[in-house]
Amino acid sequence: MTVTLADVAARARVSPATVSRVLNGNYPVAASTRERVLRAVDDLDYVLNGPASSLAAATSDLVGILVNDIADPFFGIMAGAAQTEIGGPGDGSGRAGGEKLAVVCNTGGSPERELTYLTLLQRQRAAAVVLTGGAVEDPAHQAAVSAKLAKLADAGTRVVLCGRPPLPDGEAVVAALAFDNRGGGRRLTEHLLSLGHRRIGYVAGPLERTTTRHRLEGHREAMRAAGLVGDEERLTVHGPYDRRSGYDATLELLRREPEVTAVVAANDTVALGASAAIRDRGLRIPEDISVAGFDDLPFSVDAVPALTTVRLPLFEAGARAGRLAMGKETPPPGGIATIAAELMVRGSTAPPRV
Amino acid sequence: MTVTLADVAARARVSPATVSRVLNGNYPVAASTRERVLRAVDDLDYVLNGPASSLAAATSDLVGILVNDIADPFFGIMAGAAQTEIGGPGDGSGRAGGEKLAVVCNTGGSPERELTYLTLLQRQRAAAVVLTGGAVEDPAHQAAVSAKLAKLADAGTRVVLCGRPPLPDGEAVVAALAFDNRGGGRRLTEHLLSLGHRRIGYVAGPLERTTTRHRLEGHREAMRAAGLVGDEERLTVHGPYDRRSGYDATLELLRREPEVTAVVAANDTVALGASAAIRDRGLRIPEDISVAGFDDLPFSVDAVPALTTVRLPLFEAGARAGRLAMGKETPPPGGIATIAAELMVRGSTAPPRV
DNA sequence: TCTCGGATAGAAAGCGCTTGCTACAGCTGT
DNA sequence: ACAGCTGTAGCAAGCGCTTTCTATCCGAGA
């Protein structure tokens, strides 16, 4: 049936121990012996039994990357970058060793699924786990996640957060890379204010998520600094991070306050939906209404007009998270790094009509 | 240290065998005993050792989903849908059992990485593997993949292809869901021809990929049927499936043949780049040049003007692939199903100027 | 020539779980 | 009252690999 280490050993006329050592390259083996073993491996088309190996060695080469929505490039870009660094196959390096199996797990934004995936990864004795994207703010869930991560950590799993705020008690985590969502949100709205906008609608993400909250807080900070208070609730509509939601929410916004001169969206995808809604209402962008997004996903520059947004270095952050997970990079001081968000002013924002 | 089955058994005052059976629910256990065991599991915060379990049971709950580019929603959507069906956590069903760990592996379109991931999954004794997206057409690689899949298959792994043409010798595979790229490509170009276009440029995907070839063949079929031959090479530019490539290739196309009245892109992302290039040349869409894409990704309807494209039911196909991988759905006759591609006519195509 | 130490290879004891088989109740039917 | 069930639980043998400890072989130093 399946070829085992013993079969290889027999064919190479050595002991199983020797084959194992050749394969792991962590023990001196005479060149001639190694050669013989390698040939046998080849001849028999031998493939190591992962579970057996993990069991005996008490380690595994699985690395999990958790994302909220795999169909969203926001996560795809980070996950892809991380996976590249984690190496999976062909990281060019010498030989085996770095051969980690980087896998991405799609939680769909559901807390339960997030937890279950963590358990599954714990089962597999994952070498590392990278959590991407904003966290759900339910205290019970946060506690559960923290507890889980702590358990993972002291089972030897390296935990890295990417684009997610640090844990209350950061102990369990190798590093946390947090995006400056609040600062980005603030600068974006400041930009709009400086253009002369005063009635600014905000299409927010789902409630109870750190990303949503931070971006919104940045926005309100700027509004408040400009002395614009009182209308927060009326000019904010919440919804999921998708196009449809942006469309619907913007329609609602226009209903509540026909005089808005600018709409800020929770992210670029939502901004796309918002733009569509504005156009369907017969309004022009940016002449009648300015629109702004967040993230600077690849398609944003191709919107017409090109979308003003806040650029997050998703690829770089993902790659860095990958390296941290692999221990290829030393964690930032305190284990926490804030990733800057850069305002990208493009054609979708302009001064309001007078 | 870590809690083992034996610890749980001791605490519940039963044998390890019983604990195992309670956990797996595949053997009658008296309700009272089960209760006691479950409590012990809870008290001790026990987590099954995956590798040990897989080793002993000679199976694993890993399901691999291979994608070419995780940052591309084309793959993200399919992968997400598949993962949903595979259940991973919380598929709502009764209890454990369907608890598979669906993981997506990003090959980056590299044949070697594809192969390495397959080996890694083979190592892990994956329960199933779903390969998505077009295949590389290098014969050596195809042979290698086929061989690998055969090996996986007779190690008990269920192999499903999604959006990828069937293997030459389909034996190894549970099912192959192939997109009708050729038919879609043909209908798209027929649409353009029927509008009156004659000089149609084609921005193709990378060489040596089935998807690229099939879509291009469909296009040329239509052209030929309209009696338009001879200019194929000049009016075709190849490049990767990304925006940048679409931009550059379109510029090149306009250089080669300033009189093109329509540009067909290999996919929607490329079409976005093409549109940008056309605009940067000071031309209008669709008045001066029509543009069409392929896939109908979510953002395509939001392009301005909305993009004419070919809709591929990515979500449905991914979900079906997931179900097939789990054995929740019976394979199509012959193991092969062709997924229809539907022409979506929108604002980016119009009759050429006279 | 004899001893010692370095370099390799082998023996064997697990790693933590699953599962075929056996053991033992408590019933039923005769 | 006894054989024969059915329903539960335990025993123990692995699953295929890693790794510690031990054995061996050689050349080198004395």
Side-chain angles (χ1 to χ4, degrees):
Chain A
M1 257 298 300
T2 16
V3 183
T4 73
L5 233 214
D7 300 330
V8 175
R11 182 166 234 269
R13 320 198 120 278
V14 297
S15 74
T18 302
V19 177
S20 169
R21 301 206 256 243
V22 168
L23 261 24
N24 291 299
N26 53 8
Y27 192 88
V29 172
S32 63
T33 313
R34 179 200 320 292
E35 185 97 342
R36 206 142 34 89
V37 170
L38 257 17
R39 184 186 327 296
V41 166
D42 239 55
D43 290 351
L44 298 177
D45 241 347
Y46 171 67
V47 175
L48 192 68
N49 181 316
S53 163
S54 296
L55 172 57
T59 65
S60 115
D61 50 7
L62 249 198
V63 175
I65 303 174
L66 267 64
V67 303
N68 285 346
D69 181 3
I70 198 178
D72 185 339
F74 175 81
F75 292 100
I77 291 170
M78 280 194 291
Q83 198 159 28
T84 302
E85 286 294 337
I86 289 165
D91 57 347
S93 76
R95 252 260 55 217
E99 295 269 297
K100 297 281 184 245
L101 209 206
V103 302
V104 358
C105 308
N106 188 29
T107 65
S110 141
E112 302 80 52
R113 285 174 74 96
E114 176 167 294
L115 236 25
T116 319
Y117 267 122
L118 286 176
T119 303
L120 249 25
L121 288 165
Q122 186 184 0
R123 260 207 205 356
Q124 302 302 326
R125 307 302 190 247
V129 170
V130 177
L131 296 170
T132 66
V136 171
E137 295 208 285
D138 172 45
H141 176 62
Q142 296 227 318
V145 169
S146 287
K148 201 59 147 180
L149 292 183
K151 229 156 278 161
L152 276 163
D154 67 42
T157 299
R158 299 176 62 88
V159 178
V160 175
L161 307 184
C162 180
R164 167 182 294 231
L167 259 38
D169 59 346
E171 292 318 308
V173 159
V174 169
L177 307 179
F179 293 134
D180 182 19
N181 284 312
R182 188 173 294 132
R186 182 167 37 68
R187 283 192 293 284
L188 181 56
T189 296
E190 282 169 359
H191 156 69
L192 254 11
L193 289 167
S194 78
L195 286 175
H197 293 274
R198 285 303 173 268
R199 304 198 91 48
I200 304 178
Y202 194 94
V203 180
L207 282 168
E208 311 256 289
R209 318 221 100 215
T210 52
T211 308
T212 299
R213 183 163 61 78
H214 292 158
R215 291 182 183 179
L216 182 52
E217 283 175 4
H219 166 71
R220 291 192 173 164
E221 231 170 271
M223 293 295 275
R224 215 172 302 120
L228 298 168
V229 291
D231 265 354
E232 284 90 348
E233 293 313 322
R234 196 166 56 90
L235 292 181
T236 303
V237 181
H238 283 271
Y241 280 119
D242 60 29
R243 169 187 191 274
R244 178 60 192 268
S245 149
Y247 187 95
D248 295 346
T250 302
L251 252 26
E252 166 68 16
L253 217 43
L254 291 173
R255 195 171 307 124
R256 289 192 196 168
E257 172 55 276
E259 301 297 305
V260 291
T261 62
V263 172
V264 178
N267 73 12
D268 289 352
T269 307
V270 171
L272 237 42
S275 304
I278 288 167
R279 263 190 216 100
D280 286 359
R281 281 305 210 97
L283 300 167
R284 288 161 308 159
I285 301 170
E287 292 82 355
D288 299 316
I289 297 193
S290 287
V291 173
F294 209 113
D295 292 347
D296 194 22
L297 295 185
F299 59 71
S300 304
V301 71
D302 282 319
V304 179
L307 191 63
T308 291
T309 185
V310 175
R311 156 163 272 270
L312 251 26
L314 299 175
F315 190 91
E316 295 75 5
R320 188 164 170 203
R323 267 177 271 127
L324 286 164
M326 298 296 283
K328 291 202 260 182
E329 177 174 325
T330 56
I336 298 177
T338 299
I339 310 265
E342 181 192 359
L343 179 64
M344 306 294 283
V345 175
R346 297 203 270 247
S348 70
T349 51
R353 267 182 318 176
V354 284
Chain B
M1 258 298 301
T2 16
V3 183
T4 73
L5 233 214
D7 299 331
V8 176
R11 183 166 233 271
R13 320 198 122 278
V14 297
S15 74
T18 302
V19 177
S20 170
R21 302 206 252 245
V22 168
L23 261 24
N24 290 299
N26 53 9
Y27 193 86
V29 172
S32 64
T33 314
R34 180 202 318 293
E35 185 97 343
R36 207 144 31 89
V37 169
L38 255 19
R39 184 187 326 296
V41 165
D42 239 55
D43 289 352
L44 298 177
D45 240 349
Y46 170 68
V47 175
L48 192 68
N49 182 318
S53 164
S54 297
L55 171 57
T59 66
S60 114
D61 50 7
L62 249 197
V63 174
I65 303 173
L66 267 63
V67 302
N68 285 345
D69 181 3
I70 199 180
D72 185 339
F74 175 81
F75 292 101
I77 292 170
M78 282 194 289
Q83 198 157 29
T84 302
E85 286 293 338
I86 289 167
D91 57 347
S93 77
R95 253 261 52 216
E99 294 270 296
K100 298 280 185 246
L101 209 208
V103 302
V104 359
C105 308
N106 188 27
T107 65
S110 141
E112 302 82 50
R113 284 173 76 96
E114 176 166 294
L115 236 24
T116 320
Y117 267 122
L118 286 176
T119 303
L120 249 26
L121 287 165
Q122 187 183 0
R123 259 208 207 351
Q124 302 301 326
R125 305 304 190 247
V129 169
V130 178
L131 296 169
T132 65
V136 171
E137 294 209 283
D138 173 44
H141 177 61
Q142 296 227 320
V145 169
S146 288
K148 200 57 144 183
L149 292 183
K151 229 156 278 160
L152 276 162
D154 65 41
T157 300
R158 299 176 62 89
V159 178
V160 176
L161 308 183
C162 180
R164 166 181 296 231
L167 260 39
D169 58 346
E171 292 318 310
V173 160
V174 169
L177 306 178
F179 293 134
D180 182 19
N181 284 313
R182 189 173 294 132
R186 182 164 39 68
R187 284 193 292 285
L188 181 57
T189 296
E190 282 168 358
H191 156 69
L192 255 10
L193 289 167
S194 78
L195 286 175
H197 292 275
R198 286 302 174 269
R199 303 199 90 49
I200 304 177
Y202 193 94
V203 180
L207 282 168
E208 310 254 292
R209 318 220 101 217
T210 52
T211 309
T212 300
R213 183 163 62 78
H214 293 159
R215 291 181 183 180
L216 182 52
E217 282 174 3
H219 166 70
R220 291 194 172 162
E221 230 169 272
M223 293 294 274
R224 216 172 303 122
L228 297 168
V229 291
D231 264 355
E232 285 91 347
E233 293 312 324
R234 199 165 56 90
L235 293 181
T236 304
V237 181
H238 283 272
Y241 280 120
D242 61 30
R243 170 188 189 274
R244 178 58 193 268
S245 149
Y247 187 93
D248 295 346
T250 303
L251 253 24
E252 167 67 15
L253 216 43
L254 291 174
R255 196 170 308 124
R256 289 192 196 168
E257 172 54 276
E259 302 297 305
V260 291
T261 62
V263 171
V264 177
N267 73 12
D268 290 352
T269 308
V270 172
L272 238 43
S275 303
I278 288 168
R279 264 192 214 97
D280 285 0
R281 281 307 208 98
L283 300 168
R284 289 160 309 158
I285 301 169
E287 293 83 353
D288 298 316
I289 297 192
S290 287
V291 173
F294 210 114
D295 292 345
D296 195 22
L297 295 185
F299 60 71
S300 305
V301 69
D302 282 320
V304 178
L307 191 63
T308 289
T309 185
V310 175
R311 156 163 273 269
L312 251 25
L314 299 175
F315 190 91
E316 295 76 6
R320 187 163 170 206
R323 268 177 270 126
L324 287 163
M326 298 297 284
K328 290 202 259 179
E329 177 174 325
T330 56
I336 297 177
T338 299
I339 310 265
E342 180 192 0
L343 179 64
M344 306 295 283
V345 175
R346 296 203 272 246
S348 70
T349 51
R353 266 181 319 173
V354 282

